[in-house]
Amino acid sequence: MDQKTFAQGLTSILVKQSVISEQEAEDLQKGFARSSHDWFVEFLLEEAFVDKENILKALSTYYQVPFFDVEGHFFDHLLVRDFPKGFLLRHNMIPMEIDEDILVFVVADPSNPSLLSDLRKYTDDDIQFYVGIARDIEDAVKEYYDKSLTDDYDLVEDLESEDEEHEDLKEAEEEGDEDVE
């Protein structure tokens, strides 16, 4: 997607929604063109020109789909893992829920022409899209796929602790049996 055209469209919506003025829209487009940002939404968020809720509402209008803020949402771990991490990150999407035969995804760009055909490799369900913020979607996907550095350590530590408790109980029982004799 051409980010310049996207920036014009999104700022036009933000003006219509009375979030910014016409002059601010022009200034934002010029500022984005001079910035090192690749994505207009990231530019708006990083520079704190427009808050996330207003951006989500504008994205919803732009793409003509509902919006969803993925930040802080607990996704179904098994549903997320039905799709390869690289696939979800490449398409900047995360499965939100399955309701009967409708699989709902939150996607940064629901207008991506290859999205539906690529999804057909993994599901035959009907698909519904919501729009979300790319970096939040990416963070959510990584959260469900990346193990924390302590996961393996904690599991081993828990097992060792259980083994020690079991041994202590066994020894106490043996000592108790000796006292009875």
Side-chain angles (χ1 to χ4, degrees):
M1 168 191 322
D2 173 39
Q3 286 295 299
K4 183 178 179 183
T5 304
F6 175 73
Q8 290 169 345
L10 200 64
T11 54
S12 174
I13 291 167
L14 289 166
V15 168
K16 286 178 187 166
Q17 293 175 342
S18 300
V19 175
I20 59 174
S21 69
E22 292 270 351
Q23 184 60 52
E24 289 171 321
E26 287 179 33
D27 293 345
L28 286 174
Q29 290 174 45
K30 289 176 185 173
F32 175 65
R34 289 188 308 265
S35 79
S36 62
H37 292 276
D38 294 328
W39 306 104
F40 186 63
V41 170
E42 293 302 315
F43 169 74
L44 292 176
L45 289 168
E46 296 265 330
E47 303 298 327
F49 291 121
V50 180
D51 66 31
K52 185 192 291 190
E53 185 176 346
N54 284 317
I55 291 172
L56 285 167
K57 288 177 185 176
L59 287 170
S60 177
T61 301
Y62 185 86
Y63 290 115
Q64 296 298 298
V65 297
F67 70 85
F68 187 81
D69 186 356
V70 302
E71 190 173 36
H73 181 76
F74 293 103
F75 291 90
D76 179 335
H77 190 80
L78 295 175
L79 182 59
V80 172
R81 290 204 168 236
D82 279 346
F83 300 89
K85 177 183 177 184
F87 174 80
L88 295 174
L89 291 173
R90 186 172 45 261
H91 288 290
N92 232 321
M93 63 190 301
I94 189 166
M96 183 169 70
E97 65 183 8
I98 188 158
D99 185 20
E100 295 181 23
D101 288 339
I102 299 174
L103 184 53
V104 180
F105 283 88
V106 182
V107 187
D109 180 4
S111 70
N112 180 340
S114 67
L115 206 49
L116 278 175
S117 61
D118 289 352
L119 272 170
R120 289 292 161 228
K121 296 173 189 168
Y122 302 102
T123 184
D124 292 329
D125 293 319
D126 289 334
I127 304 295
Q128 180 180 0
F129 294 125
Y130 280 49
V131 67
I133 305 291
R135 70 176 177 193
D136 294 344
I137 293 169
E138 182 180 327
D139 290 345
V141 168
K142 287 178 179 178
E143 180 180 324
Y144 281 85
Y145 274 91
D146 296 348
K147 293 186 341 180
S148 79
L149 297 174
T150 61
D151 281 351
D152 291 335
Y153 176 77
D154 289 345
L155 180 60
V156 169
E157 191 175 90
D158 289 346
L159 291 173
E160 288 173 352
S161 177
E162 286 178 21
D163 286 345
E164 288 174 14
E165 288 175 22
H166 180 71
E167 288 297 321
D168 291 345
L169 285 173
K170 204 165 142 183
E171 286 176 18
E173 286 176 3
E174 289 172 2
E175 286 175 11
D177 287 343
E178 291 172 6
D179 292 341
V180 174
E181 294 176 19

